[in-house]
């Protein structure tokens, strides 16, 4: 009979709130669990069903808590398992079973990773698209103003380019922008000394496009190539890549904060400071789409549609960028992008000739 187990094990008995343990034996008889001192004194006793028994976790001592909040502790986990099994038909708590069954734990980890990846891959992009659709114009303006102010304070300085060089680039930029869906009035070209950013050009969500003196000097007078780069940035604005990228960063950050807590003023920081934009990076798909947009706008404006390919060639030669594309990279490799531009320009010219 399960009720005739008798002495189970030995351990220490504690009064409520006391750290002084008393040596005692754990006895089970007639469906009652009792703690008996060496002199035979019954220290605690209760029906098995009224006792709280801690789960087995490694070699941590087990605790049996009685209704009067006294407790009995023992390191003899196997003895407690036998008692529990005799009354409940199980050997140990779920934590210990999970520890001992590694394949199941591994499956749990895999399922968790798959679930998290699914949220990142499908739920976040869907929410980003919804956010872009419902975003009022004032939000991109606020993001862009905050980002440019931050960059001007921390990185940029005033451009030192001659006025005639700025005017030439600005006029070409206006001509290209006029062929876009937003029109020339939807964009604003800004010149800055790049500082640690160096030779670069990028666009903000409201249509502000920044080009650095270092990139202009690196072009060595090839204005049409620079216009191809600016057309690429116009593409990022028209396709709302900056806005999507920022919402994606905000979405991922939000998920992390929901898990870790303490959201605080982070939403304000993201919107006003535009922290996500400081990375100035886009996905492979965004970069390829902007490259194609450059080809289309340059062709419409009467410029060489392959001009941006010369920028990629320059990056390979002067900046030593010979990276090829791999599935682990976030951007298309420079040689691949150059070839794609050439192929797409040829495709558009063939279509124009056929019409």
């Amino acid at each position: 009979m399960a009720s005739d187990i008798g002495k189970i094990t030995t351990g220490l008995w504690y009064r409520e709130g006391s750290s002084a343990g008393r040596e005692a034996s754990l006895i089970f008889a007639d469906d009652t669990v009792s703690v008996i001192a060496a002199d035979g004194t019954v220290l605690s006793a209760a029906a098995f069903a009224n006792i709280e028994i801690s789960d087995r976790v490694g070699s941590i001592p087990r605790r049996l808590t009685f209704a009067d909040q006294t407790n009995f502790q023992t390191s003899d986990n196997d003895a407690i398992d036998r008692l529990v099994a005799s009354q409940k038909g199980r050997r140990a708590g779920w934590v210990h079973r999970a520890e001992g069954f590694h394949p199941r734990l591994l499956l749990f980890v895999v399922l968790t990773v798959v679930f998290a990846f699914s949220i990142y891959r499908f739920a976040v992009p869907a929410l980003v698209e919804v956010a872009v659709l419902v975003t009022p114009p004032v939000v991109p303006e606020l993001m862009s103003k905050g980002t440019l102010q931050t960059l001007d304070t921390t990185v940029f300085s005033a451009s030192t380019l001659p006025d005639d060089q700025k005017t030439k680039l600005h006029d070409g930029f206006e001509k290209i922008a006029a062929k876009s869906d937003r029109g020339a009035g939807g964009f604003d070209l800004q010149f800055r000394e790049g500082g640690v950013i160096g030779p670069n050009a990028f666009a903000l969500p409201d249509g502000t496009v920044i080009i650095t003196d270092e990139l202009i000097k690196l072009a060595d007078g090839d204005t049409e190539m620079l216009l191809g780069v600016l057309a690429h940035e116009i593409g990022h604005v028209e396709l709302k890549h900056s806005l999507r990228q920022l919402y994606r960063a905000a979405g991922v950050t939000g998920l992390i904060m929901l898990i870790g807590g303490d959201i605080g003023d982070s939403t304000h920081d993201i919107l006003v400071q535009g922290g996500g934009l400081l990375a100035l990076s886009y996905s492979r798909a965004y970069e390829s789409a902007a490259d194609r947009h450059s080809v289309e706008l340059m062709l419409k404006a009467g410029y060489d549609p392959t001009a941006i390919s010369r920028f990629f060639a320059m990056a390979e030669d002067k900046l030593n960028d010979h990276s090829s594309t791999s599935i682990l990279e976030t951007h298309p490799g420079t040689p691949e992008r150059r070839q794609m531009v050439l192929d797409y320009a040829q495709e558009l010219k063939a279509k124009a000739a056929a019409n």
Side-chain angles (χ1 to χ4, degrees):
M1 295 289 293
S3 60
D4 295 330
I5 291 180
K7 182 176 178 179
I8 299 173
T9 188
T10 58
L12 294 175
W13 175 82
Y14 295 86
R15 295 182 185 276
E16 181 182 8
S18 173
S19 60
R22 183 174 178 180
E23 292 186 3
S25 299
L26 189 68
I27 307 296
F28 181 69
D30 298 325
D31 297 319
T32 299
V33 178
S34 304
V35 180
I36 310 296
D39 60 5
T41 303
V42 178
L43 303 176
S44 297
F48 177 86
N50 296 328
I51 296 175
E52 181 182 340
I53 303 177
S54 63
D55 280 322
R56 178 168 182 167
V57 181
S59 59
I60 296 176
R62 302 289 280 280
R63 180 192 296 265
L64 284 72
T65 304
F66 293 80
D68 59 0
Q69 297 307 304
T70 60
N71 69 81
F72 175 82
Q73 295 184 30
T74 178
S75 297
D76 192 353
N77 282 303
D78 291 339
I80 303 302
D81 284 348
R82 287 192 293 269
L83 172 62
V84 171
S86 71
Q87 299 302 302
K88 293 188 176 182
R90 59 186 179 89
R91 290 198 55 77
W94 69 270
V95 175
H96 177 64
R97 295 199 304 275
E99 282 185 331
F101 192 48
H102 298 294
R104 185 176 299 176
L105 181 60
L106 179 61
L107 177 61
F108 176 77
V109 172
V110 170
L111 290 176
T112 301
V113 171
V114 170
F115 178 70
F117 175 79
S118 298
I119 292 178
Y120 176 80
R121 179 65 177 82
F122 301 107
V124 171
L127 292 174
V128 166
E129 294 305 314
V130 172
V132 169
L133 288 175
V134 301
T135 298
V138 67
V139 174
E141 293 173 6
L142 180 63
M143 292 176 178
S144 302
K145 182 179 179 180
T147 299
L148 190 55
Q149 286 178 345
T150 300
L151 289 172
D152 281 340
T153 301
T154 60
V155 178
F156 290 155
S157 55
S159 172
T160 59
L161 288 175
D163 289 340
D164 60 337
Q165 197 170 10
K166 292 181 182 178
T167 300
K168 186 177 182 180
L169 268 175
H170 189 273
D171 290 346
F173 178 80
E174 292 276 303
K175 185 177 179 181
I176 295 170
K179 299 300 180 180
S180 68
D181 292 339
R182 292 169 62 115
F187 297 92
D188 178 32
L189 180 62
Q190 297 276 335
F191 299 90
R192 294 289 192 277
E193 186 80 34
V196 296
I197 288 181
N200 214 325
F202 62 93
L204 301 177
D206 69 341
T208 300
V209 177
I210 296 95
I211 187 168
T212 66
D213 292 359
E214 291 86 345
L215 179 59
I216 296 171
K217 293 173 183 177
L218 193 64
D220 197 22
D222 191 345
T223 301
E224 202 168 31
M225 180 192 73
L226 293 173
L227 292 177
V229 173
L230 295 175
H232 170 98
E233 299 305 330
I234 288 175
H236 278 313
V237 176
E238 286 210 297
L239 298 172
K240 299 182 178 179
H241 290 163
S242 296
L243 196 58
R244 285 186 169 87
Q245 195 79 345
L246 188 56
Y247 276 137
R248 187 178 185 89
V252 173
T253 301
L255 288 175
I256 294 173
M257 288 179 177
L258 285 176
I259 295 172
D262 189 19
I263 292 178
D265 295 329
S266 298
T267 301
H268 176 269
D269 292 341
I270 290 172
L271 291 177
V272 177
Q273 301 301 331
L277 285 175
L278 295 179
L280 305 180
S281 63
Y282 295 102
S283 71
R284 292 170 54 88
Y286 288 175
E287 292 293 348
S288 296
D291 288 344
R292 291 192 294 271
H293 212 73
S294 172
V295 173
E296 295 166 2
L297 287 178
M298 292 288 282
L299 187 61
K300 291 177 182 178
Y303 292 112
D304 178 9
T306 66
I308 194 173
S309 68
R310 298 202 295 275
F311 169 76
F312 298 138
M314 180 188 70
E316 291 180 58
D317 295 337
K318 294 185 178 181
L319 303 180
N320 198 31
D321 182 358
H322 300 278
S323 60
S324 59
T325 300
S326 77
I327 195 170
L328 297 178
E329 292 173 345
T330 57
H331 289 64
T334 298
E336 181 194 7
R337 293 175 69 183
R338 180 168 178 255
Q339 188 58 49
M340 187 277 291
V341 165
L342 296 174
D343 293 343
Y344 189 56
Q346 188 63 35
E347 178 184 337
L348 291 182
K349 288 179 180 179
K351 287 182 178 179
N355 294 332

